[in-house]
Amino acid sequence: MGKNKLIQHFNNQIATFREHFHMTKERKGVEDIHQLRVYTKRIRTNLTLIEIINTDEFCKKEHFDLFSRLFRIAGKLRENQIHLDLIGNYDLRHLATYRKLLLQTEMNGLENLLVELDAFDFSRLNDLNNSLLEKVSHISDETVAEQSIAFLLKKLNRVEKLKSKINNEHKLHKIRIHLQAVREILRLMVTIQSAEIIYKFQNDSKALTDMIGKWHDYSVLIFSLKQFTDENILQNLNQVTGQIEAEYEFIRKSIGHSLNNYPDPAKLEVIEQWPSFNA
């Protein structure tokens, strides 16, 4: 079977997911767990695009169902590890009890993740992927390119509509999800036809996504700390929580400024002509 660029890209993402899957089992490292989730998100974006391109023959639900439990359990552990990292920037004398709770939760979360890794059905994944690749093997790179740019512009349009609602935490998180999809589609576009403008657009998208990601980490940490404070009635935490909230608000304001300048109109104009321009 000949391999179009979509198949090549999807196979590469699956191969890298497998690599991080096995490294997570062997090393149990924080970065391995992070990359396991990153590549699960990338695979899910590709599956969504494939469903759009091949609506009559492919449904992403079975793939999503296969990944969902692993993604959720890894996410809970990842969130806990981020909290441990962030509180290292503050006075740990006031956070010792909270840190002890996080460390215990991390141990429990890692145990749960390892159980889920052992239970993950790669045989089922192989069957689903083989069936999927047969269904998309006939799709031309031109069709993939056309649908990719349409999907990209749709996601950017959704970001545009949400810009005025960034004071709503749920809406801002939605922007982050759309931007993560934008970044994955840009990776696919590079596979189809590389161009300097795509890399520049990717850099802009990454900077904004990372900023919103940092904001989200602080948002979840604040919620967790306040829950802990309420449950344990630890007054000393109030001062630390106030410092974290100040950083949270600073990041939110920075996001607002960056969103006002995203996407760069000149870059978007060139992207919209892709892949007809000279790379």
Side-chain angles (χ1 to χ4, degrees), residues 243-257:
Q243 294 171 350
I244 294 172
E245 286 178 331
E247 180 68 16
Y248 165 87
E249 288 300 332
F250 174 79
I251 297 169
R252 189 204 289 270
K253 290 178 182 178
S254 299
I255 291 169
H257 175 74

Side-chain angles (χ1 to χ4, degrees), residues 80-103:
N80 195 88
Q81 291 172 335
I82 290 172
H83 290 173
L84 279 166
D85 180 60
L86 289 178
I87 65 172
N89 299 317
Y90 300 92
D91 191 343
L92 289 177
R93 291 175 300 171
H94 299 324
L95 294 165
T97 308
Y98 179 66
R99 183 173 182 273
K100 182 178 179 180
L101 172 67
L102 290 180
L103 289 170

Side-chain angles (χ1 to χ4, degrees), residues 98-275:
Y98 179 66
R99 183 173 182 273
K100 182 178 179 180
L101 172 67
L102 290 180
L103 289 170
Q104 182 59 53
T105 305
E106 181 184 33
M107 287 178 58
N108 296 339
L110 184 56
E111 289 178 5
N112 292 336
L113 178 60
L114 292 174
V115 169
E116 190 59 31
L117 290 172
D118 285 336
F120 188 80
D121 192 348
F122 269 110
S123 177
R124 177 63 176 155
L125 178 60
N126 290 337
D127 289 343
L128 288 174
N129 287 346
N130 288 336
S131 175
L132 163 62
L133 297 178
E134 285 181 9
K135 292 173 181 177
V136 301
S137 62
H138 67 283
I139 298 175
S140 68
D141 288 340
E142 289 75 13
T143 298
V144 175
E146 178 183 325
Q147 292 295 330
S148 295
I149 193 66
F151 188 66
L152 175 76
L153 295 175
K154 180 180 179 180
K155 288 295 181 181
L156 289 174
N157 185 54
R158 290 183 176 177
V159 169
E160 190 65 33
K161 289 181 177 179
L162 290 169
K163 281 183 178 181
S164 63
K165 302 176 182 179
I166 65 169
N167 288 329
N168 181 311
E169 292 193 1
H170 176 70
K171 300 298 184 184
L172 187 50
H173 184 55
K174 281 285 188 183
I175 290 176
R176 182 191 180 203
I177 293 172
H178 292 316
L179 288 173
Q180 287 172 334
V182 164
R183 292 178 61 193
E184 180 53 28
I185 294 304
L186 290 170
R187 293 184 189 97
L188 173 58
M189 290 166 63
V190 166
T191 301
I192 296 169
Q193 180 181 307
S194 180
E196 184 64 27
I197 191 64
I198 298 179
Y199 291 107
K200 292 179 179 178
F201 203 84
Q202 181 71 281
N203 288 339
D204 293 347
S205 303
K206 180 182 185 303
L208 184 53
T209 309
D210 288 349
M211 190 184 301
I212 299 176
K214 185 177 181 181
W215 161 84
H216 179 260
D217 294 342
Y218 272 96
S219 174
V220 178
L221 174 61
I222 289 168
F223 179 80
S224 174
L225 270 170
K226 287 186 173 180
Q227 268 196 324
F228 182 80
T229 305
D230 291 342
E231 292 172 1
N232 294 273
I233 321 176
L234 297 177
Q235 294 299 321
N236 286 337
L237 273 178
N238 291 335
Q239 180 181 356
V240 178
T241 303
Q243 294 171 350
I244 294 172
E245 286 178 331
E247 180 68 16
Y248 165 87
E249 288 300 332
F250 174 79
I251 297 169
R252 189 204 289 270
K253 290 178 182 178
S254 299
I255 291 169
H257 175 74
S258 296
L259 271 172
N260 287 336
N261 298 292
Y262 180 90
D264 183 309
K267 293 175 185 173
L268 182 59
E269 184 178 356
V270 180
I271 287 284
E272 287 176 333
Q273 303 305 314
W274 178 90

